[in-house]
């Protein structure tokens, strides 16, 4: 019951903050403080565990990505405030997802090949960060493996933290679009990354 209450409070406070941003009302400081409080309670409870309750996973993996994207939409001081809030919340997310020795060996076995594909050839995300573009062949392996294991994953009541961190990285693929557009000036590569993000997003969130 404790986990359910924590997850519900976190999800509710996240929705309240994001709704204000989506409707153009701007960054609501009171809703933000409620979100910080709820996420801190989650971090206090989960940081020493090996897994995170399923109900909290999807709000957790999209929060930073959503806020950073809103920081691009809202200009000037409002955009800066949202970006700072995103970075602060990311620290709390990291507390929730920092990995301990994982004892859920059966679940880890399920995602082992996915993790292996991501780490291949210098790591899929590291190559993106370093401006090498999206390795389309590697992405297809990652996508196909995630698709293959998705039915089993949906039966889990909790997700290993190693898998939650993979989902966070995949959900934040669209942030590389801004990097390739604004810093690397590689629009074609940015378009490829966004196409990959849309496919992953559809797979994760259905």
């Amino acid at each position: 019951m404790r986990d359910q209450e924590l997850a519900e409070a976190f999800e509710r406070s996240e929705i309240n903050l994001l709704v204000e941003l989506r409707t153009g009302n701007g960054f609501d400081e009171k809703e933000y403080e409620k979100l910080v409080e709820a996420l801190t309670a989650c971090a206090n409870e989960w940081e020493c565990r090996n897994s995170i309750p399923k109900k909290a996973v999807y709000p957790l993996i999209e929060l930073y990505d959503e806020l950073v994207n809103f920081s691009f939409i809202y200009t000037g001081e409002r955009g800066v405030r949202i970006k700072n809030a995103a970075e602060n919340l990311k620290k709390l997310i990291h507390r929730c997802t920092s990995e301990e020795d994982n004892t859920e060996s059966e679940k880890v076995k399920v995602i082992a090949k996915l993790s292996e594909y991501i780490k291949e050839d210098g790591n899929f995300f590291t190559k993106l960060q370093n401006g090498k573009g999206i390795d389309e062949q590697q992405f297809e392996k990652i996508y196909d493996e995630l698709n293959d294991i998705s039915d089993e994953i949906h039966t889990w009541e909790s997700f290993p933290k190693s898998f939650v961190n993979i989902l966070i990285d995949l959900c934040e693929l669209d942030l590389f679009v801004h990097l390739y557009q604004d810093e690397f000036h590689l629009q074609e590569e940015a378009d490829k990354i966004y196409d990959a993000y849309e496919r992953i997003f559809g797979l994760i969130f259905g």
Side-chain angles (χ1 to χ4, degrees):
M1 181 61 72
R2 171 70 173 166
D3 279 347
Q4 184 175 341
E5 290 173 354
L6 287 169
E8 287 176 353
F10 165 53
E11 183 178 31
R12 185 167 56 250
S13 61
E14 178 183 319
I15 289 171
N16 290 343
L17 179 66
L18 294 178
V19 164
E20 292 299 308
L21 290 167
R22 287 172 185 151
T23 55
N25 293 330
F27 187 79
D28 189 312
E29 293 288 350
K30 289 183 179 179
E31 294 298 343
Y32 169 68
E33 291 301 326
K34 291 177 184 177
L35 177 54
V36 169
E37 182 179 350
L39 189 52
T40 299
C42 293
N44 290 341
E45 185 74 16
W46 300 333
E47 65 181 333
C48 293
R49 295 194 197 173
N50 295 318
S51 62
I52 291 177
K54 179 179 180 179
K55 185 172 180 59
V57 169
Y58 293 109
L60 199 65
I61 65 176
E62 69 176 355
L63 177 56
Y64 178 76
D65 181 70
E66 286 259 26
L67 286 174
V68 172
N69 277 299
F70 276 120
S71 77
F72 294 125
I73 295 170
Y74 284 84
T75 57
E77 292 183 4
R78 293 193 301 172
V80 172
R81 178 68 187 100
I82 296 168
K83 183 63 162 62
N84 289 339
E87 295 301 329
N88 185 48
L89 289 167
K90 188 172 187 177
K91 295 175 184 176
L92 291 172
I93 293 169
H94 181 71
R95 280 187 60 200
C96 290
T97 63
S98 57
E99 296 177 37
E100 300 288 320
D101 292 334
N102 208 310
T103 57
E104 297 193 75
S105 57
E106 292 307 312
K107 290 179 181 178
V108 172
K109 287 177 183 177
V110 172
I111 64 170
K113 193 176 290 186
L114 176 64
S115 181
E116 177 186 322
Y117 289 157
I118 290 171
K119 294 175 182 176
E120 275 183 356
D121 193 28
N123 193 291
F124 178 76
F125 296 106
T126 300
K127 288 187 290 185
L128 276 172
Q129 187 66 49
N130 291 339
K132 294 183 178 180
I134 187 166
D135 185 325
E136 295 179 78
Q137 187 174 14
Q138 187 176 12
F139 172 76
E140 291 302 328
K141 291 170 71 174
I142 292 167
Y143 179 89
D144 289 343
E145 180 61 21
L146 184 59
N147 187 43
D148 287 346
I149 64 177
S150 60
D151 285 345
E152 181 169 353
I153 287 166
H154 286 308
T155 67
W156 294 349
E157 289 303 315
S158 65
F159 286 15
K161 287 183 175 181
S162 55
F163 183 55
V164 176
N165 284 317
I166 288 173
L167 291 178
I168 289 173
D169 287 339
L170 290 170
C171 190
E172 293 175 6
L173 259 179
D174 62 329
L175 299 183
F176 286 106
V177 174
H178 299 286
L179 179 66
Y180 277 77
Q181 283 177 332
D182 301 336
E183 294 190 28
F184 298 150
H185 306 292
L186 296 170
Q187 185 59 52
E188 184 176 349
E189 202 64 36
D191 291 341
K192 290 179 184 178
I193 295 168
Y194 189 74
D195 288 343
Y197 163 76
E198 283 197 315
R199 289 176 62 195
I200 285 290
F201 187 89
L203 189 57
I204 293 174
F205 293 100

